[in-house]
Amino acid sequence: MKKLLSIILIFVILFSLSACSKTPTNTENVFQTKKIDVVLYDENEYDVAIKNKFIETLDSLFTEEKLTYNVLNAKGNDKTLESIISSIKLDETILVAPIGKEASSAVNKAFNGQIPIFFANINNPVLMGLMSDKTTPSTTTGVISEVPANYIFNNFTNSIGDKPVGHIGVIFNTSEIVPMETVNAFKSYLDLNNYYYTESVVATPLEAQQSASKMLYKAASGSSVTGEQNTISNISKKYENRADGVNLLFLSSDKIIKQAAAGIAEVLEDSDYYVYAASEESVVGKNFISLKPTADSIGETLAQMVNKYFTGTSISSLPCQTASVFEEIKYEKQKSDDTSDDTLDEKSSNSANEAETAQESEETDSSETSEQTSDNEENNDSEE
């Protein structure tokens, strides 16, 4: 008897999950009787812009039925967030679209597995516990805020025009999972595209500054950028870097590098290095830039995913997406007659439309050496 009850219970659970992930149909009249709940944690201008573009785009894409939206905003209050989420009635909701980390986490806690969830503007849904894999969703999927490696590199090559690529350096600490995912994706992109680079694993801000200084010296001497034949895993690669090319330094978004950013800016102040900072707050010196998905691009991408769901695509066939248009966050030093102010110019834009779709990165094991080159050993990943 107990065995029979267990089988029935398993069947009920599987049926519930299947019903949750299937596409709504007009025969069910769901669009006349149910709404889309959009949840925000606060009045953050960026998230509000995502919400507005999401609604505008979805209305323009899905014209078979008139859609009804229920926008819930917690005004930055945790208790209010809990209260508005508890007001959502599953039998009156088609799906929930939380925007931002706080809203997505709270919605997932309340409804994961019970109703479709399409999130937006979070960095790592797996680390947050929203889903087990970004490429194989069950009832939850959405648009992540990461910047794909090909967009980062294409932004660099677009900025240097016809000039060749010079020395490429990557500086990072291995203690944080999300920053390491970005680092590994960038290194994998360079490997796949036959670019030589020097990586430096650091434990302190001082080590990061020293690594930047060493890379500057190597680039100036041309000792690590000339084309060479290298054999990695029995595959011969000719690296395309040129000693007379423009140099690129990639800075991770981990805490150690954030603390070291100002010191690295001083080290590179008189150089022509193009510095990509994975964290916007590390844009603190000459030629430092970062990329950020535009709110409109995130909103449009989310709407496109939901429209596909409404028109027959199951959630399991809708893996997480990234934006396709990015804003360039650039450092500019403004001088007056008596004083000088250092400011971030957040209005310069980078369409990145020429870039290819985001490339999946392979994760590798972390390196224990403080500095090593990619032609001497396999790239290392860190999973801590």
PDB file of all heavy atoms in Angstrom, residues 163-179:
ATOM      1  N   LYS A 163      44.657  48.666 -36.151  1.00  0.00           N
ATOM      2  CA  LYS A 163      45.893  48.352 -35.433  1.00  0.00           C
ATOM      3  C   LYS A 163      45.885  46.882 -35.005  1.00  0.00           C
ATOM      4  O   LYS A 163      44.834  46.322 -34.686  1.00  0.00           O
ATOM      5  CB  LYS A 163      46.036  49.250 -34.210  1.00  0.00           C
ATOM      6  CG  LYS A 163      46.156  50.735 -34.543  1.00  0.00           C
ATOM      7  CD  LYS A 163      46.220  51.577 -33.276  1.00  0.00           C
ATOM      8  CE  LYS A 163      46.277  53.059 -33.602  1.00  0.00           C
ATOM      9  NZ  LYS A 163      46.284  53.893 -32.378  1.00  0.00           N
ATOM     10  N   PRO A 164      47.059  46.255 -34.967  1.00  0.00           N
ATOM     11  CA  PRO A 164      47.125  44.847 -34.549  1.00  0.00           C
ATOM     12  C   PRO A 164      46.974  44.692 -33.037  1.00  0.00           C
ATOM     13  O   PRO A 164      47.135  45.652 -32.280  1.00  0.00           O
ATOM     14  CB  PRO A 164      48.524  44.417 -34.997  1.00  0.00           C
ATOM     15  CG  PRO A 164      49.321  45.676 -34.952  1.00  0.00           C
ATOM     16  CD  PRO A 164      48.381  46.774 -35.375  1.00  0.00           C
ATOM     17  N   VAL A 165      46.657  43.469 -32.610  1.00  0.00           N
ATOM     18  CA  VAL A 165      46.541  43.155 -31.186  1.00  0.00           C
ATOM     19  C   VAL A 165      47.936  42.906 -30.622  1.00  0.00           C
ATOM     20  O   VAL A 165      48.729  42.170 -31.203  1.00  0.00           O
ATOM     21  CB  VAL A 165      45.662  41.904 -30.975  1.00  0.00           C
ATOM     22  CG1 VAL A 165      45.642  41.508 -29.502  1.00  0.00           C
ATOM     23  CG2 VAL A 165      44.249  42.164 -31.491  1.00  0.00           C
ATOM     24  N   GLY A 166      48.236  43.533 -29.491  1.00  0.00           N
ATOM     25  CA  GLY A 166      49.532  43.357 -28.856  1.00  0.00           C
ATOM     26  C   GLY A 166      49.483  42.377 -27.696  1.00  0.00           C
ATOM     27  O   GLY A 166      48.829  41.339 -27.764  1.00  0.00           O
ATOM     28  N   HIS A 167      50.112  42.747 -26.601  1.00  0.00           N
ATOM     29  CA  HIS A 167      50.150  41.884 -25.416  1.00  0.00           C
ATOM     30  C   HIS A 167      48.784  41.858 -24.740  1.00  0.00           C
ATOM     31  O   HIS A 167      48.110  42.881 -24.620  1.00  0.00           O
ATOM     32  CB  HIS A 167      51.209  42.415 -24.447  1.00  0.00           C
ATOM     33  CG  HIS A 167      51.307  41.619 -23.183  1.00  0.00           C
ATOM     34  ND1 HIS A 167      50.566  41.912 -22.064  1.00  0.00           N
ATOM     35  CD2 HIS A 167      52.052  40.528 -22.858  1.00  0.00           C
ATOM     36  CE1 HIS A 167      50.856  41.041 -21.104  1.00  0.00           C
ATOM     37  NE2 HIS A 167      51.748  40.196 -21.563  1.00  0.00           N
ATOM     38  N   ILE A 168      48.361  40.678 -24.309  1.00  0.00           N
ATOM     39  CA  ILE A 168      47.102  40.527 -23.568  1.00  0.00           C
ATOM     40  C   ILE A 168      47.420  39.952 -22.195  1.00  0.00           C
ATOM     41  O   ILE A 168      48.070  38.902 -22.085  1.00  0.00           O
ATOM     42  CB  ILE A 168      46.118  39.592 -24.298  1.00  0.00           C
ATOM     43  CG1 ILE A 168      45.789  40.140 -25.690  1.00  0.00           C
ATOM     44  CG2 ILE A 168      44.833  39.428 -23.485  1.00  0.00           C
ATOM     45  CD1 ILE A 168      44.905  39.212 -26.514  1.00  0.00           C
ATOM     46  N   GLY A 169      46.970  40.622 -21.159  1.00  0.00           N
ATOM     47  CA  GLY A 169      47.174  40.149 -19.798  1.00  0.00           C
ATOM     48  C   GLY A 169      45.857  39.942 -19.083  1.00  0.00           C
ATOM     49  O   GLY A 169      44.874  40.643 -19.350  1.00  0.00           O
ATOM     50  N   VAL A 170      45.812  38.964 -18.192  1.00  0.00           N
ATOM     51  CA  VAL A 170      44.610  38.673 -17.400  1.00  0.00           C
ATOM     52  C   VAL A 170      45.043  38.559 -15.942  1.00  0.00           C
ATOM     53  O   VAL A 170      45.886  37.720 -15.609  1.00  0.00           O
ATOM     54  CB  VAL A 170      43.931  37.359 -17.850  1.00  0.00           C
ATOM     55  CG1 VAL A 170      42.636  37.139 -17.076  1.00  0.00           C
ATOM     56  CG2 VAL A 170      43.673  37.361 -19.353  1.00  0.00           C
ATOM     57  N   ILE A 171      44.492  39.409 -15.079  1.00  0.00           N
ATOM     58  CA  ILE A 171      44.847  39.389 -13.662  1.00  0.00           C
ATOM     59  C   ILE A 171      43.601  39.083 -12.837  1.00  0.00           C
ATOM     60  O   ILE A 171      42.555  39.708 -13.020  1.00  0.00           O
ATOM     61  CB  ILE A 171      45.448  40.738 -13.217  1.00  0.00           C
ATOM     62  CG1 ILE A 171      46.671  41.098 -14.063  1.00  0.00           C
ATOM     63  CG2 ILE A 171      45.839  40.691 -11.740  1.00  0.00           C
ATOM     64  CD1 ILE A 171      47.303  42.432 -13.698  1.00  0.00           C
ATOM     65  N   PHE A 172      43.732  38.118 -11.916  1.00  0.00           N
ATOM     66  CA  PHE A 172      42.555  37.707 -11.148  1.00  0.00           C
ATOM     67  C   PHE A 172      42.948  36.995  -9.864  1.00  0.00           C
ATOM     68  O   PHE A 172      44.070  36.511  -9.702  1.00  0.00           O
ATOM     69  CB  PHE A 172      41.665  36.783 -11.988  1.00  0.00           C
ATOM     70  CG  PHE A 172      42.373  35.552 -12.512  1.00  0.00           C
ATOM     71  CD1 PHE A 172      42.282  34.344 -11.842  1.00  0.00           C
ATOM     72  CD2 PHE A 172      43.121  35.609 -13.678  1.00  0.00           C
ATOM     73  CE1 PHE A 172      42.931  33.202 -12.321  1.00  0.00           C
ATOM     74  CE2 PHE A 172      43.775  34.481 -14.175  1.00  0.00           C
ATOM     75  CZ  PHE A 172      43.684  33.276 -13.488  1.00  0.00           C
ATOM     76  N   ASN A 173      42.000  36.947  -8.955  1.00  0.00           N
ATOM     77  CA  ASN A 173      42.090  36.154  -7.736  1.00  0.00           C
ATOM     78  C   ASN A 173      41.081  35.020  -7.876  1.00  0.00           C
ATOM     79  O   ASN A 173      40.023  35.200  -8.488  1.00  0.00           O
ATOM     80  CB  ASN A 173      41.776  37.021  -6.509  1.00  0.00           C
ATOM     81  CG  ASN A 173      41.699  36.230  -5.220  1.00  0.00           C
ATOM     82  OD1 ASN A 173      40.626  35.801  -4.807  1.00  0.00           O
ATOM     83  ND2 ASN A 173      42.844  36.023  -4.575  1.00  0.00           N
ATOM     84  N   THR A 174      41.376  33.863  -7.314  1.00  0.00           N
ATOM     85  CA  THR A 174      40.550  32.680  -7.574  1.00  0.00           C
ATOM     86  C   THR A 174      39.508  32.374  -6.495  1.00  0.00           C
ATOM     87  O   THR A 174      38.908  31.312  -6.509  1.00  0.00           O
ATOM     88  CB  THR A 174      41.453  31.443  -7.726  1.00  0.00           C
ATOM     89  OG1 THR A 174      42.178  31.235  -6.504  1.00  0.00           O
ATOM     90  CG2 THR A 174      42.428  31.608  -8.866  1.00  0.00           C
ATOM     91  N   SER A 175      39.277  33.290  -5.581  1.00  0.00           N
ATOM     92  CA  SER A 175      38.461  32.966  -4.412  1.00  0.00           C
ATOM     93  C   SER A 175      36.955  33.107  -4.627  1.00  0.00           C
ATOM     94  O   SER A 175      36.180  32.693  -3.775  1.00  0.00           O
ATOM     95  CB  SER A 175      38.878  33.844  -3.226  1.00  0.00           C
ATOM     96  OG  SER A 175      38.627  35.213  -3.500  1.00  0.00           O
ATOM     97  N   GLU A 176      36.516  33.682  -5.750  1.00  0.00           N
ATOM     98  CA  GLU A 176      35.090  33.921  -5.958  1.00  0.00           C
ATOM     99  C   GLU A 176      34.617  33.241  -7.244  1.00  0.00           C
ATOM    100  O   GLU A 176      35.260  33.355  -8.291  1.00  0.00           O
ATOM    101  CB  GLU A 176      34.807  35.420  -6.014  1.00  0.00           C
ATOM    102  CG  GLU A 176      35.165  36.154  -4.733  1.00  0.00           C
ATOM    103  CD  GLU A 176      35.023  37.661  -4.873  1.00  0.00           C
ATOM    104  OE1 GLU A 176      33.932  38.099  -5.292  1.00  0.00           O
ATOM    105  OE2 GLU A 176      35.996  38.387  -4.587  1.00  0.00           O
ATOM    106  N   ILE A 177      33.484  32.568  -7.156  1.00  0.00           N
ATOM    107  CA  ILE A 177      32.997  31.743  -8.255  1.00  0.00           C
ATOM    108  C   ILE A 177      32.573  32.565  -9.466  1.00  0.00           C
ATOM    109  O   ILE A 177      33.015  32.304 -10.594  1.00  0.00           O
ATOM    110  CB  ILE A 177      31.827  30.857  -7.792  1.00  0.00           C
ATOM    111  CG1 ILE A 177      32.295  29.870  -6.728  1.00  0.00           C
ATOM    112  CG2 ILE A 177      31.213  30.104  -8.973  1.00  0.00           C
ATOM    113  CD1 ILE A 177      31.186  29.046  -6.118  1.00  0.00           C
ATOM    114  N   VAL A 178      31.710  33.556  -9.267  1.00  0.00           N
ATOM    115  CA  VAL A 178      31.178  34.317 -10.402  1.00  0.00           C
ATOM    116  C   VAL A 178      32.284  35.053 -11.168  1.00  0.00           C
ATOM    117  O   VAL A 178      32.346  34.961 -12.404  1.00  0.00           O
ATOM    118  CB  VAL A 178      30.079  35.291  -9.944  1.00  0.00           C
ATOM    119  CG1 VAL A 178      29.644  36.191 -11.105  1.00  0.00           C
ATOM    120  CG2 VAL A 178      28.874  34.521  -9.404  1.00  0.00           C
ATOM    121  N   PRO A 179      33.190  35.785 -10.497  1.00  0.00           N
ATOM    122  CA  PRO A 179      34.289  36.411 -11.240  1.00  0.00           C
ATOM    123  C   PRO A 179      35.128  35.406 -12.013  1.00  0.00           C
ATOM    124  O   PRO A 179      35.558  35.675 -13.147  1.00  0.00           O
ATOM    125  CB  PRO A 179      35.110  37.100 -10.140  1.00  0.00           C
ATOM    126  CG  PRO A 179      34.120  37.393  -9.065  1.00  0.00           C
ATOM    127  CD  PRO A 179      33.200  36.208  -9.075  1.00  0.00           C
TER     128      PRO A 179
END
